[in-house]
Each structure stands twice: as structure tokens, then as C-alpha cells.
Amino acid sequence: MNGYFITGTDTDAGKTSITAALLRALLNKGESALAIKPVQTGCTQTKSGLQAPDAAVYAEFAAPYFPHGYPDVCCRKFIPACSPHLAAEWNDETLDVDQLTREVQAMAQGRSTVLVEGAGGVAVPLAAGCTTLDLMQRLDLPVIIVVGNKLGAVNHALLSIEAVRNRGLRVAGVIMTHTTAPAKADMPLLRDNTKTIAREGHVPVLADIPFLDGPDYGKSLVQYADKALALLQQQKDDCPEDILFDRKHIWHPYTSATNPLPTVKVRSAHGVRLVLEDGRELLDGMASWWCAIHGYAHPNLDAAAHAQLGRMSHVMFGGLTHDPAIRLCRTLREMSPNGLEHVFLADSGSVSVEAAIKMALQYMQASGQTARTKLFTVQGGYHGDTCGAMSVCDPTNGMHHLFSGLLPKQIFAPRPACAFHQPFDTRSLDQTARILEANSHEIAAIIVEPIVQGAGGMWFYHPQYLQGLRHLADKHGILLILDEIATGFGRTGKLFACEWSGIVPDIMCVGKALTGGYMTLAATLASENVAHTISRDGGVFMHGPTFMGNPLACAVANASLDLLRTTDWETNVHNIESWLDQSLAPCRDLPDVTDVRVLGAIGVVEMKDEVNMANLQEFFVEKEVWLRPFGKLIYIMPPYIMSREEIFQLAGAVHEAIRTNQHR
Ligand code: PMP
């Protein structure tokens, strides 16, 4: 949906005439524009039904373009001239903001630009616990604020601007108007209002309209609207330049700096959708790389960030502590498998893996096993892009060849061969046991992703294999590090993937979904044995990132974990699993597909050959879904709040893409 939400500083600020004039100016330019009034109060009863006063003004301005009459653009109409929540209540109704959003979106279908006019100002209630701001946020349009220019306007305008921006919405500009003729003596004050609002609100003034009267009133107003549209167009024209700058100067992950894969510009995100710069919405099947489990712009997470922002965004963690970190570490200790007593807060998944590796080495040093400096892992793993983490990524599809001079040589066993859904084949552990046995004198720790190998191939292996690793680690006095960064917080159907095996690691890394995808934060949890051994005889763990325990990230993580613990994520993930199973099944019949597998909220289609990522990305965006395949894999990892219909839409797009050979 493309267009603007038009709100005012007050009832009677003049926003209806402005909306109508903007509508006419757009229609004059050949646009298929429509002005919509989602909730209209103050209607009059006529023989043909309720007459909406604002829609009548739109109809008057737009008359030449609607020879058969202006359409009914009000979702709800009420007779009492009062706040929508009250008018609805008097009518024994309740306004539902999601329903209103859907109706506005339906009316906007096929229109190049829509102007959605609110009722009164931004804080006008629509129902209990819900104001016009909620509707604005759901519609996610840039906002034009019509300011009735009079005494008190600066306060009203600046508060409205702040409230709109606090909801993550863009204020496209203000339009200054008069609904009554001002006294001459007030003119300097009114001129200053305009200047002050622009300066203090950091907003463009799209029009500063004097009091208009007389027969040419409408014509003059449309002229002002026309100029406002020109300024708005200028804002839009800046965009292509941004994309060019992005291509030329900004490094995106795993792509060339000189010939990068195309990027898609996102304006905002809400629920399970990404909103693109041009107003198109993509259904998100990636949860931003495993993170956004609750969906985007969740009110609880937003509120937690805002509240913490008001107190402090960051303080150093050396020598200082704070509530958000204490609460988070308490929760992590409670949630994670029993025995992980010590929490080290890191600033990204990779850093938490580095911390885990360093903990293992310091543990061996502190316990006098100084020869044990190597890590044991399996092929097909992925643990991050920093050096220690890279050294335990898959040696073939990872980045070893580029950094072989730098990376420590670790010890690898084959990828766990026995798949999650197969009966366990004990032989799949034989070679692992042999390699471990032969090298145990120099191994400090085993590090693996439990059950699901993510970026290394989206492979689901058998829980008994992991039990076997725990057993082997104990047998040889080696530590077991589990990297739950991708799998943690419910993704596989268990809170942590190691629960499939009923084992507890000595060290565990979490990240990604920890903040619900809001910002970067990770943690390395360690057993009492690990922490106490390192700290023996005055020893200290030698790591301390600048942004360790960032309060803002901890506050959002607290809100995210609260939400996880109070929602039925298990049922949601279980449902998604069965929908993915059903919806991806037809892909099995496609000749280029070698395997389709599903576990929890992860659905994978493995192809025979590497896919054409650029082609697929373009196709998916066209189909209004967001999926980003890699290697031979096209996969779906949605937020946990996704509906059956939406999962089928994602899977349908995958099937169609392969059926029509977009992957080649
Ligand atoms: N471990 C695993 C299992 C991961 O999937 C990732 C990220 N894809 C990382 C570590 C690294 O995390 P980050 O990107 O936050 O550094």
C-alpha cells in the first residue's frame, strides 16, 4: 500500500479539506488516488443511509474524476459526533484495529496512492487499550500532520510528531492551516509557530496555508496541496540514490563489493511481514536468520526498548552491573538445562563461541592439562565468522582455504550420518569414537551444533549421536560445548535442541532469538566445574567485550524471554512443523529436489545442484515472500506466530520457483 496517513494536532485542525485537496491534486496528476476515512463519527441519517461528512468533502473535491459518485470509503460510521471508541460503545460495537487495517488495505487494492484520514489526533482512542496510533502503526504509511496554527500549536505538533516517531513511523511533513481567520496581532506568533515546529520537530513544512475564504477557496487549497506533493515527491526521489550508494559503498554479507547481489530496501517490518520502500509487503520466511521468533515490531519488545532507552542505553560492565543483565542471567540460568550456573554475556553469536573456546582452553590450563589445546568437531558445522569459530566450521564449505595460514588446525570427524527421523545406527558413532580416542590427549573440547547443523547444510541428525558425544567427552575427560545459537529458544520443537537427547553440555552458547531478533546479544553459559576451575587460585576468564551486558539488549531479551515463557510456543512450533510437512511434501516429486526435511519450525528443500540465488530472490520478491536460499538449500524458518495459510503461501512459492526452474 502506497500513500500517507493524515492526522491532525486536534479535532478541527482542517485535515479533511487538506486530505480532499491532496486527493484532487493527485487525481489531477493522473494517479488512481483514493481518500479513505476508516472511522467516521458525526454522520447524519438520510434516506439512503448514514451520510459521512468527511467523505462528502472528498467527493466534492474529486467530483470530476468520479462521475458515478465517490465510493463509500468509511469502514465504520456513527451518528454521535465524538471520539470513535465512545461512538462505537454507544452503538454496542467495538472497533477492531486489525479488522480496520484489513478493510483499508482492501480499499487500497489497485490504487496508486491512498490518503487515510484519522479521527481527531494521534492519541484518539479507537477501543479500550488502542488508539489511532495503533491503526497508524498497522497501516505503516508515512504520516502528514495537519497543524491548526493557533496558540498552543507548537506543543500539540511536537507531541504528535514525537508520538508518531516513537511508533517507528516516518513523519513526511507538517501542513500548517487555519480554520478561522486569525487576528492580525497574532500573525508574528503564528509565523514563529511554523518556524519553531520545523526546527524543533526536524520536519519539513509541506505547506503553510493562510486562512482561505471565498469562492476560490477550493482552487487555492489544491494549489497548496500541489506544492506539498512536489515536496513529498522529492523525498521519494532521494531513494534510488540511496540504493546506488548502497551498491557502491556498503558491504553486505558474503557478496562482492564491486558486483554485489541485488539488495531489497526495507522500510519497516511488522508481524510476519517486511514492508518494502515501495509499499509492497513480503511474507517473511527467514525470521531474519533464525531470530525474529515473535515477529517484527512486537509491542512488548518495543515497549521494553523504549523504557530502557529512557533510563540508559549502555554502561560498561567492568565494575558495574544493572537490573536488565541480572534479570536476564537469572532467567537464562532458570531456562537452560540444569547445571549451567555461570553466564557470560557476549555481543554476538561468534563472540560467544570464541568465549566458549577460550573457556575450554583456560579450563584445561587451570587443571594442569596444558597439552589439551585442540577442538574436536564434526564436518558440516557452522559456528560463526571469527577466527576461533571459523576453525571449527566445515573445512570444505567453510572458509578454511582462505585463512589456512591463520586458523588453528582442529580435529574433524565425518558429519553425523544418522538422520533425525531414522532409527539410530550405532555405527554412525564408530569413526567419531576412533578419532576422538586417538587424539584425546590434545583435545580440550568437543564443539557441535546440537541436532540441527544450520548454515553448514541444514542437516538434522539423531539425538542418540549427541548422547554418544556426551558419553565420549566424559570418558576422555573432555568438555562438551553445544552451540545452541540457531537452535535455542524453541526452534527445533524443544526449548533447547540438546533436550532431544536429554543431555547437558559443560558450556552452551545462545544468541540469535535471545532478543527476539531486535539487536545483537549472545551468552555463553558454563557449568560450575568449568567456572570454578578457571577461577581457581585467583584465575580469571580473559574476555571482556566493550558492549558486554548492554542494558538495552538485555532489556529486550528479558521481554522476549518473558513472551516466550508466557505464550504456547510449543504448540505454535508443533503446528508450523506439521504445516511445513504438508505444504513442502509436493516438492519431493520435483526432479531437481533430492530431499525435503522438516524439524520444528525449520523446513528444508535440498536441491541436486547449487541454486541461482539472485534469480530465486527476484522471483520470491515478485511473489511477495522473503526467502534467501544458499548453496543447494531452499529453506523456511518463519517467526513462530505464522499462520497455516501463510506457511502454505511460503511453501507454494518454493514449489512454484522450482517447478518453473527459477533455481537454475
Ligand atoms: N553459531 C551458529 C550455529 C550460527 O548459526 C551462527 C550464525 N548463523 C553463529 C554461531 C554466529 O552468530 P553471529 O552471526 O551472531 O556471530
Side-chain angles (χ1 to χ4, degrees):
M1 188 166 54
N2 223 334
Y4 299 93
F5 194 102
I6 301 180
T7 186
T9 43
D10 223 333
T11 305
D12 214 20
K15 63 182 170 6
T16 302
S17 328
I18 297 288
T19 305
L22 285 167
L23 172 66
R24 177 60 187 263
L26 284 164
L27 293 166
N28 286 349
K29 286 184 191 308
E31 290 224 23
S32 60
L34 191 72
I36 298 169
K37 180 85 182 178
V39 185
Q40 175 83 75
T41 58
C43 293
T44 42
Q45 186 74 56
T46 67
K47 269 193 217 119
S48 54
L50 288 181
Q51 190 81 43
D54 293 3
V57 181
Y58 309 156
E60 191 189 320
F61 274 74
Y65 295 95
F66 291 90
H68 307 297
Y70 196 73
D72 186 355
V73 287
C74 302
C75 312
R76 297 287 176 283
K77 289 183 250 186
F78 301 103
I79 292 176
C82 60
S83 166
H85 79 289
L86 192 59
E89 195 180 306
W90 282 342
N91 224 29
D92 284 334
E93 282 183 41
T94 309
L95 292 170
D96 174 350
V97 90
D98 290 320
Q99 175 70 16
L100 287 173
T101 306
R102 282 193 293 275
E103 288 184 32
V104 171
Q105 283 166 340
M107 278 186 209
Q109 285 282 323
R111 302 281 171 184
S112 60
T113 307
V114 288
L115 304 169
V116 183
E117 188 189 341
V122 292
V124 165
L126 294 176
C130 164
T131 68
T132 300
L133 277 166
D134 294 291
L135 178 62
M136 293 165 82
Q137 199 172 12
R138 299 282 205 291
L139 291 171
D140 189 27
L141 294 168
V143 178
I144 296 172
I145 302 176
V146 177
V147 180
N149 196 354
K150 53 191 173 192
L151 195 66
V154 171
N155 177 60
H156 285 34
L158 294 182
L159 285 175
S160 302
I161 291 167
E162 187 179 333
V164 168
R165 285 189 180 142
N166 273 342
R167 294 296 186 112
L169 295 166
R170 181 167 73 83
V171 180
V174 294
I175 295 182
M176 309 294 295
T177 63
H178 301 267
T179 45
T180 52
K184 215 170 175 173
D186 287 342
M187 289 312 286
L189 174 149
L190 302 183
R191 273 196 295 273
D192 180 74
N193 277 356
T194 306
K195 268 199 326 218
T196 307
I197 290 167
R199 188 185 64 232
E200 300 302 323
H202 305 284
V203 280
V205 177
L206 302 171
D208 189 3
I209 310 175
F211 177 67
L212 298 172
D213 207 0
D216 282 341
Y217 155 79
K219 218 162 122 192
S220 309
L221 203 57
V222 174
Q223 280 168 0
Y224 279 104
D226 213 38
K227 285 190 194 135
L229 286 182
L231 289 173
L232 291 169
Q233 186 56 44
Q234 235 173 36
Q235 295 177 4
K236 279 193 179 165
D237 289 345
D238 291 342
C239 288
E241 216 181 286
D242 288 351
I243 287 290
L244 221 67
F245 179 87
D246 186 287
R247 268 191 84 74
K248 239 178 127 176
H249 298 288
I250 305 181
W251 237 313
H252 283 266
Y254 313 113
T255 193
S256 159
T258 50
N259 185 26
L261 285 166
T263 48
V264 181
K265 195 168 174 206
V266 180
R267 183 172 79 196
S268 63
H270 60 90
V272 294
R273 283 167 210 282
L274 307 175
V275 184
L276 302 188
E277 194 61 29
D278 60 10
R280 276 180 303 163
E281 295 201 0
L282 307 186
L283 182 61
D284 175 39
M286 299 301 298
S288 283
W289 279 338
W290 314 76
C291 297
I293 55 174
H294 308 296
Y296 300 93
H298 194 286
N300 297 24
L301 275 60
D302 284 3
H306 281 300
Q308 187 56 41
L309 207 52
R311 287 190 279 274
M312 62 181 166
S313 299
H314 184 66
V315 291
M316 62 189 277
F317 213 46
L320 300 175
T321 193
H322 44 77
D323 272 339
I326 294 169
R327 190 151 104 74
L328 177 61
C329 293
R330 198 191 289 279
T331 309
L332 282 174
R333 182 176 163 268
E334 272 167 28
M335 282 178 107
S336 43
N338 268 342
L340 298 172
E341 294 292 324
H342 296 263
V343 187
F344 179 91
L345 294 170
D347 37 8
S348 73
S350 302
V351 172
S352 76
V353 170
E354 298 294 332
I357 293 172
K358 285 169 71 174
M359 277 178 197
L361 293 196
Q362 277 199 248
Y363 170 89
M364 290 303 171
Q365 272 176 25
S367 55
Q369 307 178 69
T370 47
R372 290 190 142 176
T373 57
K374 295 226 173 293
L375 298 162
F376 174 92
T377 187
V378 292
Q379 287 169 7
Y382 176 82
H383 297 280
D385 292 349
T386 49
C387 286
M390 265 199 298
S391 76
V392 283
C393 288
D394 184 273
T396 317
N397 70 20
M399 293 158 274
H400 289 232
H401 62 289
L402 288 173
F403 306 104
S404 55
L406 173 69
L407 297 184
K409 296 259 174 306
Q410 312 292 15
I411 297 160
F412 287 85
R415 186 175 87 165
C418 193
F420 184 90
H421 293 102
Q422 284 170 355
F424 186 60
D425 179 352
T426 48
R427 284 171 307 175
S428 65
L429 264 167
D430 289 352
Q431 209 179 341
T432 306
R434 269 199 303 277
I435 298 172
L436 205 54
E437 183 108 45
N439 298 283
S440 69
H441 59 285
E442 52 174 356
I443 298 174
I446 300 173
I447 176 167
V448 290
E449 295 155 276
I451 308 300
V452 175
Q453 291 188 301
M458 292 287 174
W459 173 245
F460 312 148
Y461 65 86
H462 203 283
Q464 273 176 261
Y465 182 92
L466 192 58
Q467 283 170 358
L469 285 184
R470 175 71 275 181
H471 171 74
L472 288 166
D474 291 341
K475 183 173 160 197
H476 297 293
I478 294 168
L479 297 176
L480 178 64
I481 304 172
L482 291 186
D483 175 350
E484 289 264 11
I485 290 166
T487 48
F489 307 112
R491 179 60 65 181
T492 68
K494 300 279 185 196
L495 197 51
F496 295 100
C498 61
E499 291 169 26
W500 286 108
S501 307
I503 60 141
V504 179
D506 301 292
I507 301 173
M508 181 170 99
C509 301
V510 294
K512 288 198 183 274
L514 178 58
T515 62
Y518 267 49
M519 56 192 87
T520 177
L521 182 70
T524 312
L525 290 91
S527 68
E528 202 164 86
N529 174 34
V530 168
H532 287 198
T533 305
I534 291 173
S535 308
R536 215 155 53 197
D537 303 327
V540 290
F541 178 54
M542 289 309 287
H543 206 103
T546 306
F547 284 96
M548 187 169 179
N550 175 254
L552 204 48
C554 289
V556 177
N558 283 325
S560 176
L561 297 184
D562 283 350
L563 199 59
L564 192 66
R565 290 195 294 177
T566 51
T567 52
D568 189 1
W569 64 267
E570 226 165 340
T571 303
N572 292 346
V573 170
H574 183 74
N575 286 340
I576 290 175
E577 181 174 43
S578 74
W579 300 332
L580 282 171
D581 248 338
Q582 294 162 37
S583 62
L584 286 175
C587 291
R588 287 204 173 89
D589 303 330
L590 297 167
D592 288 353
V593 172
T594 55
D595 189 26
V596 175
R597 46 185 183 266
V598 173
L599 180 66
I602 314 168
V604 181
V605 177
E606 185 167 340
M607 309 293 293
K608 282 188 181 140
D609 299 304
E610 291 229 344
V611 298
N612 183 329
M613 193 148 123
N615 259 10
L616 277 172
Q617 183 172 302
E618 194 182 334
F619 176 81
F620 286 137
V621 171
E622 230 167 73
K623 294 282 158 195
E624 303 193 337
V625 301
W626 179 243
L627 293 168
R628 187 160 165 91
F630 73 89
K632 296 178 182 176
L633 304 165
I634 307 175
Y635 63 104
I636 301 177
M637 244 158 28
Y640 300 167
I641 56 168
M642 199 166 268
S643 70
R644 181 180 196 281
E645 198 186 7
E646 288 159 343
I647 294 285
F648 271 76
Q649 189 185 335
L650 288 171
V654 171
H655 187 269
E656 190 181 343
I658 304 171
R659 188 174 53 77
T660 58
N661 293 324
Q662 311 293 331
H663 57 289
R664 291 196 176 155

